[in-house]
Amino acid sequence: MHERIQQIIDNTANWLGLDAYYLKRHSFSKEQNIEGRICYVVTMEWFPNGKAETDDGLNPPGTAVVDVEVESEQIKSILFVGDISYAKREELSNLYQDSEKTIEWLEVLTGLELGKQFQLVHETADTMRFRAAIDNIPIYPEGTIEVSFNQDGQLTTFYIDGVFPKQEEVEWEPFSLTPASYKPIAKQQCRLLEIPMEDLQTWKTVFGIATVFIMNRNQQVLAYETVEDYYPRTTLHKLLTWKGEGEQSISLTPIDITMEITETEALTAEAISELEPISESIVSKASQEIKLLLQQELPDESGKWKITSIKREPYFLFATLHLVDSSNRIIQPRLKVILDADTIKVVLNYIDNRFLLTIFEDFSAAEPPIYFTRYSF
């Protein structure tokens, strides 16, 4: 074991007071945060002394599972299995039902400051939940922090996830969104939809509003997935057509998306801070490969599918396809095609969701909508 990893393990044991525990195992993985940055994490599973795995191969009650980022050595999460803890750390035992002490402990642990970078949004006798905020103004995509205690007042859960920007990273500007500016935009997002009613075995017509973000500066509309998904993405409407079955054979490959890595990789790999955007060249190559795949797998469906988006993730490209002739139903036929991000020319596999839609085959059609002017914008 590398001395740096040993130091992280020792510090974790001391910090949590794990004298009544032994380290059963540890592993390494890579994770992406909401900014798209890949970091490397060591996961430790501490078993209570004298305890072993259950007959089902599960961790015994009281097991402490701790995630620590290798580079910063910051604790990302703590979980005591079964809400049972044998940890002996006086500082942690004094946090229960003391909001002020808990917040001070969080500030030291995370390096964040209440009010300036995060705020309390929910509190009960045994749980406190926080979210990212700048000067108590919530931000999105949001960062979250949660702390919980068991009935004996022992810390049993902690996790931090997301981004907590500093004030100097925020561009301030006067708030200028008024009803006159955002109501027309909201009206444009109104959609006539059909949703399945399982209990009635029918489709029902409803009106819904798509979730979007409106920029304060110029009222630009940002799609929800654009803000929520930090990976590079391009939107397009590329119709795919072909003649007959393709002569080129594509061998589909089972996809392994595990993020587990070795200790050496965790210590030597450089954090990936930004993924390359999707160029026109990538779109062209990916489209050609996707067309060859459909020509092989769905030879009779030429002209029925269009590529609507391509997203880049570490190691993979994910293309989404929808039918050209779509309906108002909220659940639509869709294909997901997975390509190797480096070669692009190799189609790895694809997912067709139409087998899931068979459960709605016997549902009756939706009744036509009735419009009332007084209910409109």
Side-chain angles (χ1 to χ4, degrees):
M1 181 185 298
H2 193 279
E3 60 182 2
R4 187 176 169 193
I5 300 302
Q6 186 62 61
Q7 180 180 354
I8 291 176
I9 290 173
D10 294 341
N11 290 344
T12 301
N14 294 333
W15 190 82
L16 286 177
L18 300 178
D19 297 337
Y21 286 80
Y22 69 98
L23 182 64
K24 173 64 176 179
R25 52 180 164 256
H26 67 286
S27 60
F28 300 90
S29 61
K30 53 181 179 284
E31 297 181 357
Q32 297 90 39
N33 64 20
I34 208 160
E35 293 176 309
R37 179 177 175 271
I38 296 180
C39 61
Y40 303 92
V41 175
V42 55
T43 299
M44 293 162 276
E45 298 177 50
W46 298 83
F47 281 20
N49 290 337
K51 301 290 185 179
E53 291 181 344
T54 66
D55 294 338
D56 296 329
L58 303 177
N59 291 344
T63 296
V65 182
V66 186
D67 286 351
V68 178
E69 186 176 334
V70 174
E71 182 180 2
S72 65
E73 299 187 11
Q74 180 179 4
I75 293 179
K76 296 176 61 67
S77 68
I78 303 167
L79 173 65
F80 286 89
V81 175
D83 216 27
I84 298 173
S85 171
Y86 302 106
K88 303 295 182 183
R89 178 71 186 271
E90 184 177 355
E91 179 186 2
L92 300 182
S93 63
N94 293 333
L95 300 179
Y96 183 58
Q97 293 188 349
D98 192 325
S99 300
E100 186 174 341
K101 284 186 177 180
T102 301
I103 291 170
E104 291 176 355
W105 172 76
L106 284 173
E107 289 181 325
V108 172
L109 177 64
T110 64
L112 304 174
E113 186 175 350
L114 182 72
K116 291 186 176 181
Q117 292 173 277
F118 70 107
Q119 63 181 183
L120 178 65
V121 294
H122 177 75
E123 182 176 11
T124 64
D126 56 9
T127 301
M128 296 182 71
R129 189 174 300 120
F130 306 83
R131 68 182 172 193
I134 296 293
D135 279 349
N136 282 315
I137 301 174
I139 65 170
Y140 196 88
E142 65 179 5
T144 56
I145 301 174
E146 184 166 320
V147 180
S148 62
F149 304 85
N150 62 16
Q151 60 184 5
D152 298 321
Q154 298 170 302
L155 175 75
T156 53
T157 304
F158 159 79
Y159 72 81
I160 178 171
D161 185 50
V163 177
F164 295 80
K166 299 177 182 178
Q167 287 188 338
E168 55 267 28
E169 297 175 319
V170 176
E171 184 177 344
W172 295 91
E173 58 188 29
F175 185 77
S176 60
L177 286 176
T178 62
S181 63
Y182 65 70
K183 277 192 173 183
I185 297 175
K187 186 177 181 179
Q188 293 171 4
Q189 307 309 314
C190 189
R191 302 285 189 271
L192 180 65
L193 304 171
E194 293 181 16
I195 61 174
M197 306 294 291
E198 187 174 359
D199 54 338
L200 301 176
Q201 294 286 292
T202 187
W203 291 89
K204 183 177 182 179
T205 302
V206 298
F207 283 100
I209 297 181
T211 301
V212 298
F213 293 87
I214 305 173
M215 293 187 66
N216 177 66
R217 181 184 307 166
N218 55 12
Q219 286 77 58
Q220 179 183 352
V221 178
L222 302 177
Y224 176 83
E225 57 270 17
T226 302
V227 178
E228 172 73 12
D229 195 343
Y230 43 81
Y231 292 119
R233 172 196 294 267
T234 184
T235 301
L236 59 156
H237 298 278
K238 189 172 183 62
L239 178 66
L240 298 179
T241 60
W242 58 87
K243 293 182 180 180
E245 297 184 8
E247 297 180 359
Q248 180 178 341
S249 177
I250 297 176
S251 299
L252 301 182
T253 305
I255 304 299
D256 180 13
I257 58 173
T258 177
M259 290 295 185
E260 190 168 337
I261 59 175
T262 65
E263 178 184 275
T264 301
E265 290 176 303
L267 291 170
T268 59
E270 295 183 0
I272 302 174
S273 58
E274 186 176 350
L275 296 173
E276 293 182 6
I278 299 172
S279 65
E280 288 293 331
S281 175
I282 292 175
V283 170
S284 177
K285 292 178 182 178
S287 299
Q288 180 62 25
E289 290 298 307
I290 295 169
K291 184 174 74 170
L292 292 175
L293 171 72
L294 268 61
Q295 191 173 8
Q296 172 181 294
E297 299 293 315
L298 307 170
D300 298 328
E301 299 188 21
S302 173
K304 293 184 178 181
W305 293 97
K306 61 181 178 181
I307 304 174
T308 54
S309 70
I310 299 178
K311 180 176 68 172
R312 180 193 290 278
E313 294 190 15
Y315 314 112
F316 300 108
L317 292 176
F318 291 87
T320 301
L321 289 80
H322 288 91
L323 289 174
V324 174
D325 298 326
S326 60
S327 67
N328 291 330
R329 291 182 176 178
I330 196 169
I331 305 174
Q332 295 280 339
R334 184 181 63 185
L335 300 178
K336 280 278 190 180
V337 181
I338 307 169
L339 303 95
D340 185 288
D342 294 325
T343 65
I344 302 175
K345 293 184 70 62
V346 180
V347 174
L348 298 175
N349 220 314
Y350 78 102
I351 302 170
D352 187 339
N353 78 336
R354 286 181 291 183
F355 76 95
L356 296 174
L357 304 183
T358 57
I359 62 175
F360 305 119
E361 287 181 347
D362 296 329
F363 279 35
S364 57
E367 295 182 1
I370 300 175
Y371 298 92
F372 293 94
T373 304
R374 66 179 182 273
Y375 293 144
S376 63
F377 283 91

